[in-house]
Amino acid sequence: MWELLARSLEASTIFLFAALGELISQRAGVLNVGLEGLMLFGGTAAFITAQTTSSYPLGLLAGLAIGGFLGLAHGFFCITLRGDQVVSGMGLWILSFGLTTYLGNPYTGPLGLERVPRFFGLSPFYPLGVMLVATAWFLLFRTSHGLAIRSVGENPGAAEASGIPVAVIRYLCVTSGGILAGLSGATYTLSYNPVWNYNFLMGWGFVSLALVFFSMWNPWILLAGASLFGIMWQLSLSPELVLPGVLSRYVWRTVPFAITIPILCVISTPWFRTRWGLAKPEALGRPYAKE
Amino acid sequence: MKRGSAAAPEPILAARGITKRFPGVLALDDVDLDVYPGEIHAVLGQNGAGKTTLMNILFGLVQPDEGTLEVFGRRVRFRSPHDALTHGIGMVHQTRRLVSAHTVLENIVLGHPRVRGVLNLRAARTEVETLGNRYGFTVDLGARVWQLSEGERQWVEILKALYRGARILILDEPTSALTPPEVKTLLAGLQGLVRGQGITVILVTHKLPIVMSASHRVTVLRSGKVVVRLKTAEATEEILVHHMVGRDVAFRSTDRALPTGRPLLEAEQLAAFNDKGLLALRGVSFSLREGEVLGVAGVTGNGQEELAQVLAGLRPAASGSVRFDGQDITRLSPLQRWQRGIGYVPAERSEVASIAAFSLVENITLNYHFDPAFTRRGVLDDAGLERLTQRILSAYNVKAPHQHTRAQHLSGGNLQKLILGRVLSRRPRFLIAHLPTHGLDVEATAFVRASLLDARAAGAAVLLVSEDLDEILSLSDWVAPIYEGRFGAVLSREEADAETVGAMMAGSLLKGARGQ
Amino acid sequence: MKLGRYELTLEPRPALPPFHAVLTAVVAILLALAFSSVLFLSAETNIFTAYRAVFSYAFFNSHGLLATVHRSIFLLFCTYAFLVPLRAGLWNIGLPGQVYAGGLAGFAVPFVLGAPQVRALPPDLLIVLMMVAAATAGAAVGGFAGVLRARFQVNEILVTMMLNSIIFWLVAYMIKEGGPFMSATGEGESFGLPVPLHAPLLLGVPFTALLALGAAVLLDPLFAKTALGYRIRAFGESPAAARYGGIIPMALSLVVFLLGGAFAGLAGYHYFAAVPGVYKIPGNYGYYGDLGFYGIICALIARGSSLGAVPIVVLFAGLSLGARFAQGELRLPFGVDYALLGLLMITFVASHVLYRFRFAWRRIPPEALPHVSAELPQE
């Protein structure tokens, strides 16, 4: 049972990293629907690098770097070129989906390194995730930089008039978001499930994206949501631990996705939005043109 | 520029030969501006005269193509508002530059160079409170900006600029969204800043009474050029309007014989929520006969938008009912209302009333795609729509290269004429016009007003929503001041004088409300 | 970017002549071909030999040509499944889910009726039933996302993506490990269709080709000439203006997603029940779902034109098939068709930038050069 919980927490870490990056990026007003793509690319790069160099740190670094680079690319399209954020995000996702399948294919199979050390069965990434949540919360709500980030996401015109460099802040947030997405992918391929397979995420990134909407853009609520989904996800992978013999294992796999839809509906209702949803950054998804 | 008087101060801010070109437009042409310490300097001009561009240059938002700038006697070049702020220039924009989800204090400290790293809001609060006391204004620093009135928000911006160390304050159209009492408070406050604290104020406006009552000196801009510089004491409204417009403008007046007959539209205790889920319209009742204009006078954000949208079917009524021509239409869709002859001219011309990327013909189609006269078995009658567009373009004097131009290339005035022409071409029996002349130049304004009166003469009932009291008083048969979602009263034109209506717009005199 | 006294900037294009859209599509395709040559660099032959191998298989080999046609039909359906909601400003990335749903529903017809009924009823009727069932199932899946979008403003990208995963696993349940549709041999694929239910062929091509081409011809005038098309476009440009003009968002989102879903359902029917030699839901059905994403790129590059999408679809179908064939020939790594998918997306985004921006050279005014400080010393 502890093993299941430890594994669930590791699964939540993957949701958490990606969603936290997306949260920071969205707080600055940039939506990246291609989150899954960044995770795929980060995970694949980490896996290939770790396997060829036999070094976890190098693999992790490669994952972070590629995630950051793709975040930067998204930023260039959305901030500098003021392109449609959905077009760019979808582009990144399909790009990553296609290219990682091609590039990673020769590496299909297990990583072949000693497993990342665990403490009482718990991966070191989980405490890192909790620390990052605390850091992100402190940064966003207790520092002037956080105030600047939130202002850029709410009303970039007001921020600019106060002397805040809107574009710089957006670039920083999108790139950090990308780095965290890369970290998330690397956590998957290096620690959680060190076996490369094409399209290994199968929707993790989109669930993470949904988690950001559930979180009301608050890192602590995000942590709770990610933990919940991590447990649910792990249970859906091994339902026999709870309900042996009931329904096919394939049916259980649909559960995390199926639950996401009604939650999305509830948080989208006017009832919910007028009570809790005020946290949504007002300029989210809108390109900002300096006058 | 010596005045010969004993003091003869040097200008605190001097712009020389400022020229700015935008693609296809010469926005500013060799403009000089001298502002002296401790004065309120009005910059007067119509829309498109270049006032805002000039101010954006002074504030570093826009860089001039030619010309130099001196502040406190030093040559400067501003690359961003940040540079202007460090030189003691602060700006309060026409549209509020505040983050409405944040608190007043958070807004004031945002971007301040001394507030870096970990936020110490307690220290900042003390500083801001001291500053506020010194200048004599009190705002609840913990309140969220969206909870404040427009007047309070403006003071927050002024306080913010002062907290940043501004000695020169630029205010762009500061009175445009204020009630008459709020305007008085603002102007008195500015006088206090200038006299007591040595702040210099540049006041950008197109409103003559403001210039006459508040400023010491005035510079008039027209089409990007300085036309005249005057001491306000030496100017009259007539002189200024002549310089501002370049000629004299007269409005057409019509006879005001009130029609009789049974009511066409009856609203009973209408209430509606706004987008934030708050009850913004709180029980409004009125009735209108054919050929009558009801002017709803109020400052934006008092429920007018919700009223217009409820009547147009774009927002559900929380309670109450609307009857049109004897039938209950409270729950009808926008489409059903169009079909019954209710026309709506929304305030948001380019976001709601038109589609920027569509051609003019396609924009006309927006009110005709459901019309059996222009569709045959689901197929649009392109030729008919083109002829219709041509008729509207010429009848409403819309200046456009041709009818397949995209709507985004039309100027604000031409776009509004197109929209108004489109709605009026449906010959609506009831017309809702929301801020129909907001931001238009004098000529387009006169044309739009004349068109509204024509519609009235043709027998339409008109609900006119406006912030401009003069507009309301010159066009309406009935006047309803609106404040916080309620009508102060429904006054006949004879009962409605500027003072009464102005006071009701600001929420006073509600007790003496009279029904129709 | 600054180069000495000159500055190179990207400027938004003020107005776009109509030929510009065609031009950017052509540029996109050329870029795609250039980009895909990157893939062949790792091949042991030179790039031109590689391209010759790809194209001669895809278009000049009777077996390959037929495969290209089959794939083109599939991709056309997928393209329209994405294109119709796109014109209303909505992103239907639920193509895989809708394709699977179409396939499942098609196979459900003979399954539910049972072998005796299938033998008794006229096969033409059954084929029509299967097709209608597939289109309906796709439409239902799409319509679900459409309703949620209109009623609750739920992000359609997230919902359609969730549906993709859900239906993916449902197919696995249906055809694997003792699922109801599992083949008698138990190989993790569905039962094969009985011969009478194989879709009729015209010149070796299933009749679904006619449907796809019909859609290609009819969709453009639908958008350009009809009131419904106008409403879809108006809603896509500005939902607020559309609502003001009397268009009902709920109905419109539903219509485009129903229509889009039906196309994707037909794509599923086509590949699983009409392509000769398949006639079953294979164990690697996920591959066909992934192929559906080509539809997104084709629709985007065609800028919403149904007829304009046809050559793009045929080219990409041929390219992806030929590349897969060449993969063996040229000893390329697996997944060339996936790589192509990714590269084409860069191509689209790049051409999108060129469509909206142009490069401009401008001389920097001397006083704006960096060596001038913000303040000059006081005299």
Side-chain angles (χ1 to χ4, degrees):
Chain A
M1 206 59 206
W2 165 245
E3 200 190 336
L4 177 76
L5 188 63
R7 200 119 174 91
S8 303
L9 290 182
E10 179 154 22
S12 5
T13 315
I14 294 163
F15 289 125
L16 185 62
F17 285 148
L20 193 62
E22 180 75 15
L23 185 145
I24 293 172
S25 166
Q26 291 195 7
R27 272 286 184 182
V30 183
L31 176 74
N32 187 354
V33 289
L35 193 57
E36 173 137 339
L38 272 62
M39 294 163 71
L40 273 174
F41 230 124
T44 305
F47 187 91
I48 295 177
T49 314
Q51 193 168 63
T52 43
T53 63
S54 303
S55 155
Y56 275 121
L58 282 180
L60 195 62
L61 210 62
L64 299 184
I66 196 90
F69 172 75
L70 291 177
L72 197 66
H74 184 59
F76 178 70
F77 188 78
C78 302
I79 303 165
T80 303
L81 300 183
R82 295 200 288 281
D84 188 322
Q85 300 184 359
V86 174
V87 171
S88 171
M90 284 282 109
L92 279 178
W93 169 57
I94 293 187
L95 166 81
S96 310
F97 172 62
L99 281 189
T100 54
T101 300
Y102 179 72
L103 298 172
N105 213 273
Y107 302 87
T108 303
L111 181 61
L113 293 177
E114 208 177 303
R115 289 297 289 265
V116 173
R118 262 144 233 278
F119 310 94
F120 307 109
L122 188 62
S123 115
F125 288 103
Y126 186 73
L128 176 66
V130 176
M131 267 159 56
L132 280 177
V133 165
T135 315
W137 172 82
F138 186 80
L139 172 78
L140 282 174
F141 297 102
R142 288 290 178 271
T143 69
S144 65
H145 312 293
L147 181 62
I149 293 172
R150 287 183 290 129
S151 306
V152 166
E154 289 282 344
N155 186 341
E160 185 88 48
S162 306
I164 305 281
V166 173
V168 173
I169 292 214
R170 287 198 162 172
Y171 263 112
L172 284 175
C173 290
V174 180
T175 311
S176 328
I179 292 174
L180 282 173
L183 174 63
S184 162
T187 309
Y188 186 100
T189 54
L190 298 183
S191 169
Y192 175 73
N193 185 13
V195 179
W196 197 90
N197 203 338
Y198 109 95
N199 194 19
F200 51 88
L201 286 178
M202 305 263 337
W204 286 71
F206 287 94
V207 171
S208 306
L209 188 61
L211 276 174
V212 180
F213 291 100
F214 303 164
S215 74
M216 292 172 263
W217 293 270
N218 180 324
W220 291 114
I221 303 180
L222 184 70
L223 177 64
S227 307
L228 210 66
F229 260 78
I231 294 169
M232 197 155 61
W233 191 279
Q234 208 55 46
L235 282 177
S236 79
L237 289 180
S238 32
E240 67 281 357
L241 290 177
V242 186
L243 292 167
V246 182
L247 291 178
S248 152
R249 66 190 176 99
Y250 294 122
V251 175
W252 285 107
R253 293 296 293 271
T254 66
V255 170
F257 305 106
I259 287 180
T260 306
I261 294 178
I263 300 183
L264 277 173
C265 293
V266 170
I267 63 163
S268 304
T269 52
W271 171 82
F272 188 90
R273 271 188 294 172
T274 51
R275 271 159 196 77
W276 304 104
L278 289 174
K280 181 178 182 179
E282 223 169 282
L284 182 60
R286 284 207 294 269
Y288 172 62
K290 202 171 158 178
E291 297 164 57
Chain B
M1 195 181 283
K2 298 288 177 222
R3 295 267 151 189
S5 68
E10 285 300 307
I12 192 170
L13 182 149
R16 295 269 173 269
I18 300 284
T19 299
K20 178 71 191 174
R21 293 175 200 90
F22 291 118
V25 191
L26 183 59
L28 290 174
D29 183 7
D30 193 22
V31 166
D32 291 352
L33 179 72
D34 292 288
V35 180
Y36 294 91
E39 70 173 3
I40 296 183
H41 190 112
V43 175
L44 180 71
Q46 280 188 270
N47 291 299
K51 296 173 305 215
T52 300
T53 308
L54 180 60
M55 293 308 123
N56 283 341
I57 286 173
L58 297 185
F59 190 55
L61 276 167
V62 173
Q63 280 70 44
D65 295 331
E66 286 164 35
T68 60
L69 216 55
E70 274 181 37
V71 178
F72 294 106
R74 293 168 137 202
R75 253 312 262 293
V76 292
R77 169 176 295 285
F78 296 152
R79 284 155 211 259
S80 70
H82 184 79
D83 292 345
L85 286 164
T86 48
H87 283 85
I89 299 181
M91 181 156 175
V92 177
H93 296 265
Q94 181 177 10
T95 49
R96 295 283 76 84
R97 302 294 168 102
L98 296 171
V99 181
S100 52
H102 292 176
T103 64
V104 170
L105 186 61
E106 282 178 321
N107 269 289
I108 288 175
V109 302
L110 175 65
H112 195 288
R114 253 187 307 121
V115 184
R116 295 234 129 204
V118 179
L119 277 180
N120 185 352
L121 286 180
R122 199 165 301 160
R125 175 185 286 271
T126 322
E127 282 178 22
V128 175
E129 272 169 359
T130 320
L131 194 71
N133 290 336
R134 174 139 56 96
Y135 294 121
F137 20 91
T138 45
V139 192
D140 176 7
L141 295 181
R144 304 262 160 200
V145 165
W146 60 266
Q147 298 167 321
L148 303 183
S149 76
E150 194 57 33
E152 288 172 306
R153 285 179 205 169
Q154 196 154 41
W155 282 114
V156 172
E157 287 212 53
I158 292 173
L159 197 53
K160 179 182 170 106
L162 295 174
Y163 183 60
R164 289 293 287 261
R167 305 297 297 159
I168 304 173
L169 267 183
I170 303 171
L171 286 98
D172 190 5
E173 300 283 4
T175 60
S176 64
L178 300 188
T179 58
E182 280 177 322
V183 171
K184 263 189 197 147
T185 315
L186 173 75
L187 296 181
L190 292 180
Q191 299 281 6
L193 282 182
V194 169
R195 217 174 297 129
Q197 310 293 336
I199 304 284
T200 304
V201 173
I202 303 176
L203 192 67
V204 181
T205 184
H206 66 269
K207 290 187 179 161
L208 293 166
I210 305 294
V211 175
M212 295 306 295
S213 66
S215 71
H216 301 123
R217 209 185 295 270
V218 53
T219 299
V220 182
L221 283 179
R222 189 172 73 227
S223 314
K225 287 197 180 96
V226 174
V227 199
V228 71
R229 297 182 189 81
L230 290 168
K231 279 188 174 165
T232 312
E234 295 160 2
T236 64
E237 286 204 21
E238 287 69 36
I239 297 177
L240 290 179
V241 84
H242 177 80
H243 285 302
M244 181 166 84
V245 181
R247 59 188 164 69
D248 302 312
V249 181
F251 285 112
R252 200 180 62 178
S253 61
T254 50
D255 63 306
R256 298 195 162 273
L258 266 184
T260 51
R262 67 192 178 90
L264 179 68
L265 188 97
E266 292 161 284
E268 194 70 47
Q269 288 300 321
L270 270 185
F273 293 102
N274 65 10
D275 292 337
K276 285 200 154 78
L278 307 171
L279 199 63
L281 189 66
R282 300 157 178 250
V284 159
S285 305
F286 62 89
S287 70
L288 260 184
R289 282 183 285 253
E290 291 181 341
E292 285 184 340
V293 178
L294 171 66
V296 177
V299 171
T300 296
N302 276 299
Q304 303 92 316
E305 186 178 358
E306 288 75 15
L307 174 63
Q309 288 174 343
V310 167
L311 291 174
L314 291 168
R315 186 179 287 277
S319 63
S321 68
V322 189
R323 294 176 72 77
F324 178 71
D325 210 6
Q327 284 172 310
D328 188 350
I329 60 159
T330 319
R331 306 207 157 272
L332 293 193
S333 71
L335 179 60
Q336 288 164 316
R337 296 184 199 221
W338 281 114
Q339 286 165 336
R340 278 166 197 241
I342 295 179
Y344 176 34
V345 178
E348 303 89 348
R349 277 162 220 153
S350 43
E351 294 83 24
V352 175
S354 67
I355 297 177
F358 270 16
S359 74
L360 302 189
V361 180
E362 286 172 315
N363 269 291
I364 294 295
T365 311
L366 195 57
N367 288 160
Y368 282 94
H369 61 90
F370 49 81
D371 193 324
F374 290 91
T375 51
R376 221 177 10 261
R377 290 206 198 109
V379 178
L380 291 171
D381 175 11
D382 285 339
L385 285 165
E386 282 176 19
R387 281 195 301 275
L388 174 69
T389 307
Q390 206 53 58
R391 278 207 302 279
I392 292 174
L393 291 187
S394 53
Y396 287 83
N397 199 14
V398 182
K399 289 185 198 77
H402 55 88
Q403 47 179 322
H404 293 290
T405 315
R406 289 180 176 202
Q408 70 199 51
H409 299 306
L410 292 192
S411 70
N414 281 315
L415 185 62
Q416 181 69 339
K417 286 191 272 184
L418 179 83
I419 293 163
L420 192 70
R422 177 185 73 201
V423 175
L424 289 181
S425 69
R426 294 198 57 82
R427 308 203 161 279
R429 297 177 62 200
F430 172 50
L431 174 71
I432 307 154
H434 190 191
L435 302 184
T437 62
H438 187 82
L440 301 189
D441 62 33
V442 174
E443 282 178 296
T445 299
F447 190 90
V448 167
R449 288 179 183 170
S451 303
L452 292 178
L453 289 177
D454 286 345
R456 168 185 178 274
V462 180
L463 184 91
L464 168 68
V465 179
S466 179
E467 293 180 332
D468 185 339
L469 199 48
D470 297 335
E471 174 167 284
I472 295 272
L473 293 178
S474 64
L475 298 182
S476 310
D477 303 304
W478 300 95
V479 179
I482 190 169
Y483 178 74
E484 293 197 337
R486 291 195 184 89
F487 283 171
V490 180
L491 307 167
S492 70
R493 177 62 191 84
E494 289 70 36
E495 296 172 286
D497 55 86
E499 287 69 38
T500 317
V501 177
M504 285 186 175
M505 280 165 71
S508 59
L509 286 190
L510 282 178
K511 285 207 182 94
R514 285 160 286 183
Q516 189 176 335
Chain C
M1 191 169 29
K2 285 198 174 122
L3 298 162
R5 295 192 145 267
Y6 290 86
E7 194 176 23
L8 179 64
T9 53
L10 279 174
E11 288 186 347
R13 290 181 190 277
L16 297 162
F19 78 90
H20 210 84
V22 180
L23 194 69
T24 48
V26 171
V27 170
I29 291 164
L30 290 178
L31 272 175
L33 290 175
F35 266 132
S36 43
S37 58
V38 175
L39 300 177
F40 304 131
L41 286 179
S42 57
E44 286 162 21
T45 46
N46 74 40
I47 288 171
F48 293 101
T49 325
Y51 267 117
R52 213 171 60 210
V54 169
F55 281 107
S56 60
Y57 176 76
F59 297 110
F60 301 101
N61 166 315
S62 62
H63 182 253
L65 183 64
L66 210 55
T68 303
V69 171
H70 291 148
R71 183 167 284 196
S72 301
I73 298 168
F74 175 77
L75 286 188
L76 268 182
F77 282 130
C78 289
T79 302
Y80 299 146
F82 180 74
L83 186 144
V84 175
L86 183 72
R87 293 300 291 260
L90 299 173
W91 285 69
N92 177 17
I93 58 163
L95 306 176
Q98 291 152 14
V99 166
Y100 308 146
L104 281 183
F107 279 72
V109 170
F111 178 80
V112 169
L113 290 176
Q117 287 279 354
V118 168
R119 267 192 300 275
L121 288 170
D124 290 348
L125 175 69
L126 286 171
I127 286 170
V128 170
L129 264 181
M130 284 174 71
M131 211 174 63
V132 170
T136 311
V141 174
F144 181 64
V147 169
L148 292 189
R149 167 77 203 191
R151 180 69 187 79
F152 299 112
Q153 292 283 303
V154 183
N155 185 316
E156 76 280 8
I157 292 179
L158 282 175
V159 173
T160 48
M161 201 62 208
M162 296 299 133
L163 288 172
N164 285 347
S165 300
I166 293 172
I167 301 170
F168 178 86
W169 292 115
L170 281 184
V171 176
Y173 162 72
M174 293 300 277
I175 66 169
K176 294 183 179 176
E177 295 184 5
F181 285 10
M182 197 177 70
S183 67
T185 50
E187 295 294 323
E189 53 185 40
S190 80
F191 63 87
L193 280 185
V195 178
L197 297 192
H198 293 183
L201 301 180
L202 314 159
L203 308 167
V205 177
F207 74 102
T208 41
L210 293 178
L211 293 176
L213 290 177
V217 174
L218 290 178
L219 279 178
D220 276 344
L222 171 82
F223 289 122
K225 298 282 175 202
T226 69
L228 176 66
Y230 174 82
R231 287 173 201 151
I232 293 175
R233 286 187 297 127
F235 188 78
E237 289 290 344
S238 167
R243 214 163 88 78
Y244 156 79
I247 293 160
I248 302 159
M250 177 85 178
L252 203 91
S253 308
L254 188 61
V255 164
V256 293
F257 264 104
L258 283 177
L259 206 57
F263 278 124
L266 284 176
Y269 170 80
H270 167 77
Y271 235 131
F272 299 132
V275 171
V278 183
Y279 302 126
K280 66 184 177 201
I281 302 177
N284 70 339
Y285 62 95
Y287 174 69
Y288 297 97
D290 296 343
L291 265 187
F293 291 132
Y294 270 99
I296 297 181
I297 297 179
C298 294
L300 287 173
I301 292 182
R303 299 213 155 265
S305 157
S306 64
L307 212 51
V310 175
I312 298 171
V313 160
V314 173
L315 179 71
F316 289 175
L319 209 55
S320 63
L321 257 177
R324 194 153 229 213
F325 166 79
Q327 187 175 297
E329 192 110 309
L330 308 170
R331 279 182 279 283
L332 288 167
F334 169 82
V336 183
D337 34 9
Y338 283 92
L340 199 60
L341 185 68
L343 292 171
L344 289 175
M345 204 65 208
I346 309 186
T347 305
F348 166 70
V349 172
S351 74
H352 186 73
V353 170
L354 286 177
Y355 183 74
R356 292 185 52 238
F357 293 92
R358 61 161 180 238
F359 287 100
W361 280 101
R362 206 175 297 105
R363 193 161 183 274
I364 303 172
E367 71 270 17
L369 285 172
H371 60 79
V372 182
S373 70
E375 287 175 38
L376 291 176
Q378 234 174 327
E379 281 114 308

